[in-house]
Amino acid sequence: MAASLRSNSRHHIRGHAPASDLTEPWPIRLALILGTILFLGLFLVLPLVAVFAQALAKGWEAYQSALCQPDTVSSIWLTLLTTAICVPIGTLFGLAAAWCLGKFDFPGRKLLLALLDLPLSVSPVVVGLMFVLVFGRHGWLGYWLESYGIKIIFAVPGVVLVTLFVTGPYVARELIPLMEAQGTEAEEAALVLGANGWQTFWRVTLPQVKWGLLYGIILCNARAMGEFGAVSVVSGHIRGKTNTMPLQVEILYNEYDFVGAFAVASLLAGLALITLVLKTILESKTAHQMALAQVSGPETTVAINSNGAT
């Protein structure tokens, strides 16, 4: 029975629908396929091709020269620095939040889930204004911070804080459904077998959610590198200091430096393509993992993941 369920699960995960489900006439299926290809070509592929074509319009040397401009180099380094800070913090927060909200039921859980979605539902520009009202010179904490010589708004800390706010939910939101589907049986079995809390987490819980975790990290990384609205409000657009790559694209484009603007945009587009490929791979891994969690019992999970945990 279990083998049959797992076989059906694999069949479902790979996306092979039974022949009886394909009831549409072939002209309709062909029209839908062609319509999808046309839409993707016009609104996704063509703009990407245009970005790279414009970036290389004046040759490879002009492209390299545009990327080596001091302000552009500064924007690249600030983007990498912000991402390097926000992704690990977002990962740790996501793991803790997912463990709490996905494995336990307690009063106020639904409220915490709603608050977790707040950065995803509020406009990034509003997020930036919120931080200005709190940490700005005339904000709630502005005078106190200024008395200690701490500058948040129009400085790198403000860029990092707003990016951390908007990227915070991504890892947690990928892990919570996965942990809910898996339940707590595997952890309880490991504890009964003699594992302590850390052993249970590292050898049972974490291996179960590794693909979902990587998927969330990739989404968090992509949002951190591409965030524009919130960063634009708190950065002050100070050249060479608080401009990230998206802001640098806007500045160069407004100054009619099209080669420079599209050169920086091509870097972001390249990162987006890499993210898309990794996202597709990990998405299938995560779906496979969730299906196995639904058809496998706790004994199977513990036997696979908790070797040495006793």
Side-chain angles (χ1 to χ4, degrees), residues 162-250:
V162 295
T163 304
L164 186 61
F165 182 85
V166 298
T167 57
Y170 281 92
V171 174
R173 266 303 169 192
E174 292 304 320
L175 293 182
I176 288 174
L178 187 56
M179 289 190 176
E180 286 179 339
Q182 291 168 346
T184 59
E185 291 85 358
E187 286 84 357
E188 292 171 357
L191 292 172
V192 169
L193 292 173
N196 59 35
W198 279 111
Q199 287 175 323
T200 301
F201 176 78
W202 285 108
R203 297 181 180 179
V204 178
T205 304
L206 193 58
Q208 287 181 326
V209 300
K210 61 181 178 180
W211 296 116
L213 177 62
L214 290 173
Y215 182 46
I217 290 173
I218 287 175
L219 293 179
C220 180
N221 179 79
R223 180 66 188 273
M225 287 191 170
E227 176 55 34
F228 178 84
V231 173
S232 178
V233 174
V234 303
S235 69
H237 295 264
I238 303 175
R239 290 176 177 269
K241 293 184 178 180
T242 63
N243 282 335
T244 57
M245 291 170 67
L247 299 184
Q248 185 68 7
V249 171
E250 181 194 33

Side-chain angles (χ1 to χ4, degrees), residues 113-181:
L113 284 171
L115 291 176
L116 189 64
D117 288 335
L118 186 63
L120 302 177
S121 56
V122 177
S123 169
V125 175
V126 176
V127 172
L129 291 174
M130 288 163 49
F131 275 81
V132 171
L133 289 174
V134 175
F135 299 106
R137 184 174 184 181
H138 301 289
W140 294 351
L141 301 179
Y143 291 107
W144 180 80
L145 291 172
E146 189 175 5
S147 65
Y148 286 93
I150 301 174
K151 190 174 183 180
I152 302 294
I153 305 301
F154 303 151
V156 173
V159 174
V160 174
L161 284 177
V162 295
T163 304
L164 186 61
F165 182 85
V166 298
T167 57
Y170 281 92
V171 174
R173 266 303 169 192
E174 292 304 320
L175 293 182
I176 288 174
L178 187 56
M179 289 190 176
E180 286 179 339

Side-chain angles (χ1 to χ4, degrees), residues 95-114:
L95 275 171
W99 172 267
C100 175
L101 298 172
K103 295 290 186 180
F104 303 98
D105 192 9
F106 51 89
R109 179 177 177 275
K110 291 185 179 180
L111 176 61
L112 289 178
L113 284 171

